[in-house]
Amino acid sequence: MSQAFRLFNTLTGKIEPLNLIEPNHLRFYSCGPTIYSYAHIGNFRSFLTADLVLRTARAIGWKTTYVTNITDVGHLTNDDTMDPSGEDRMAKALQSSEGTRFANVWDLSRFYSDALQSDWQQLNLLKPDVQPRATEHIREQIQTIEKLISIGAAYVTTSGVYFSVDRFSDYGKLSGNQASEALEQAVRDVVVDPEKKDPRDFALWKKDDQHLMQWYSPWGWGFPGWHIECSVMAQCYLGDEIDLHAGGEDLIFPHHECEIAQAEALTGRPFSRHWIHTRFLQVEGQKMAKRIGNFFTVRDLVIEKGVEPLAVRLALISGQYHKPFNFTFSTLRDCERHIKRIREAYDATKNANDLGRQDQSSLADALTEKQHLILNALLDDLNTPAAIAHALDGVRTILKNKDSLGRQAHEHMTEISNLLGIVPQAALPPSDGHVSNVRGSIPKAEDSQTEIIEQMIQKRSIARRERDFSKADKIRDQLLEMNIEIKDSANGTTWEHKSKI
RNA sequence: GGUGACGUGGCCGAGUGGCUAGGCAGAGGCCUGCAAAGCCUUGUACGGCGGUUCGAAUCCGUCCGUCACCUCCA
């Protein structure tokens, strides 16, 4: 049975139910990053939208085919003041201070692509069915460009191949940017080509035999334009018509507009039925920028600051994708606490499940109700704040009834885990020489510290027993300085690592 | 200038005609040697101005503000 999954469709400007081409099979493409550096939390907010779509679709029993690309081809930057040479991002990264450690662009691309996979895993994003790379689909791109030329939708100039926007009447249907005069005025062509027939025309292929990444084509050595890779790879793995295409809001124009033009000029049919775009996040109320010091990659938070990766995930999905979102450290701290409670609840229900107990019917009913609310919230344009509220409500219920939990409680945690991906269950696989345990990412070297910590806690316990509280408090302060937080309870003292935020 | 989105309390963020969102922070209490965590109780709101309606945060108009894009940045 299929339920309506409603999403805001950029194409129509309305919230509409996903209307699948093949019943119960979602074919879905999401634009991935250009890997010239570590992906930042803004990138991941966008990837997380795709992740939630996928999880929700699966929860209502849909089969899913999810493709998200890795752009590993350099593309020209548009930063004409900083970069008058029109150098591309990959090449620029190679020449940066961080880039000098790489032998060449290919090496750089491999490194950051591995880092992306690792971050991806840390934030518990589901594995795509296909994660194609632009450089592995050059042949298909060339073939598509040839076809576009043959049907008159593209033309060759001395500098490259351009798509002829004039030949595609629907150009502008996604972004609303239809007026060619307006574009003509605004246009800032990176590589000025006087042979372009229309200022709106965009490059499918750039001729350049000096470029660091170049391939041989019918038009000589060069590299593909940015837009062509996505539509080609989407059609390659998902077919000419797809159900859903996602990306960041900055991609609406020109990237997605151009994808539509390329794909639909070729097939004469709608490329994607639905388009969703994730709004940018701000950090502490400001646009994320390196010079303001509010620019964060996943590893800045997880490795440098020791934040539990799932807390980062929770923070990033705590705002609805379609609304502007302000990422703050206050939110992140809250999320760390939520994740702790979720873990506690999970541990409690796990045992209950192993015992094969049944919940009291009232508890079971309450949790079943919450599960419905969570799913319904997600089906309603990925209303994550509401879904999280219901999930946490269930967690609170579980923690309150810790001693009488059964299977339904365990199922509730499984549901939260499947739908929102915010339940820490097992240690994540190690990455980058760091081991991630249930208390967050801790460098392995600290394993030997554990003993010292335990000893200090022992000493404090003795001091407390002897009612020497000033000594006990001193030890607690020392531990706190080591980012260790302790809790006294009836069963003794427990400790955990605290993040540095 | 053009295109699109958004504007809810101290903060983050749901709610789309009448019915408690939730979280954080604040206040009071329980627990604790003191903390931390947890639990209980609790106040504050819908950008401005018009209009429609018995009734508007919600619909319509208008103004103001914020964000994004305008040729290769999620």
Side-chain angles (χ1 to χ4, degrees), chain A residues 2-8 15-18 52-53 55-62 320 371-384 387 419:
Chain A
S2 177
Q3 297 173 58
F5 185 2
R6 288 149 43 84
L7 290 171
F8 183 91
I15 297 177
E16 298 172 336
L18 271 176
L52 290 165
V53 167
R55 288 167 184 271
T56 307
R58 287 182 182 176
I60 54 172
W62 287 357
Q320 203 243 10
Q371 287 171 35
H372 287 142
L373 290 172
I374 296 168
L375 181 59
N376 286 338
L378 290 174
L379 287 169
D380 181 19
D381 199 23
L382 292 182
N383 188 343
T384 43
L419 278 172

Side-chain angles (χ1 to χ4, degrees), chain A residues 66-81:
Chain A
Y66 171 43
V67 179
T68 183
N69 66 298
I70 287 182
T71 299
D72 55 354
V73 187
H75 292 294
L76 297 178
T77 61
N78 67 339
D79 202 341
D80 36 23
T81 49

Side-chain angles (χ1 to χ4, degrees), chain A residues 6-24:
Chain A
R6 288 149 43 84
L7 290 171
F8 183 91
N9 188 356
T10 310
L11 206 53
T12 57
K14 290 193 200 107
I15 297 177
E16 298 172 336
L18 271 176
N19 176 18
L20 306 181
I21 296 162
E22 182 191 325
N24 298 320

